[in-house]
Amino acid sequence: MAGFPDRLSASPPALAAFPRHPALRVAELPGKGRGLVGVAPISRGETLEVAPVIPLRRDELGARTDGIFSYPFDWPEPPYAEAVALGLISLINHSTAPNADWQLDIPNRSIRLFAARDIPAGEEIAIDYGIPLWFDPA
């Protein structure tokens, strides 16, 4: 098949789309470090990002204070326990009054981040981590 090396099957796997909302930006947020902000209004239910993940087994996990291991999502696909998302979703901050939420897509090994309510331009986009926090919230 054109464009694919001979070592691959004649039927290439489906290519997954990983969309990102055009209003999503990374910003420095006082007291929080980097986080996500909408630079234009975002409507409830809109997809903010679909990010591929790398699932990790429990024996592959580091401490929550060890770099990339501060950014995991639970991943209920044995033998995996957690997953690191490769998109901007890994920079999303915690809030007890979140304006976004996420949905796991186990078969496609991805996470969909979406607006849980209308988000005005300039507002930080945040989720409730849903687990005991390992840091002091700002």
Side-chain angles (χ1 to χ4, degrees):
M1 177 169 263
F4 289 91
D6 292 338
R7 66 182 179 275
L8 296 179
S9 69
S11 299
L15 300 177
F18 296 108
R20 180 175 295 150
H21 197 285
L24 197 61
R25 297 290 187 279
V26 176
E28 282 292 328
L29 301 167
K32 295 183 176 185
R34 291 188 298 175
L36 302 181
V37 173
V39 296
I42 300 169
S43 298
R44 179 177 186 230
E46 282 192 81
T47 295
L48 301 171
E49 181 178 56
V50 177
V53 303
I54 299 174
L56 300 168
R57 295 182 310 272
R58 188 141 323 272
D59 64 333
E60 296 174 315
L61 301 174
R64 285 277 187 259
T65 55
D66 290 345
I68 195 72
F69 298 110
S70 296
Y71 304 93
F73 287 83
D74 283 335
W75 197 257
E77 179 194 17
Y80 305 109
E82 294 182 343
V84 174
L86 300 178
L88 296 181
I89 191 172
S90 287
L91 298 176
I92 197 163
N93 287 315
H94 169 78
S95 174
T96 56
N99 55 11
D101 205 349
W102 76 94
Q103 179 179 40
L104 303 179
D105 182 348
I106 301 293
N108 290 306
R109 291 198 172 160
S110 63
I111 298 175
R112 176 180 169 253
L113 178 66
F114 61 93
R117 62 167 174 77
D118 290 345
I119 302 171
E123 184 171 299
E124 179 184 8
I125 297 167
I127 59 174
D128 183 339
Y129 287 179
I131 59 173
L133 300 179
W134 60 99
F135 58 88
D136 294 325

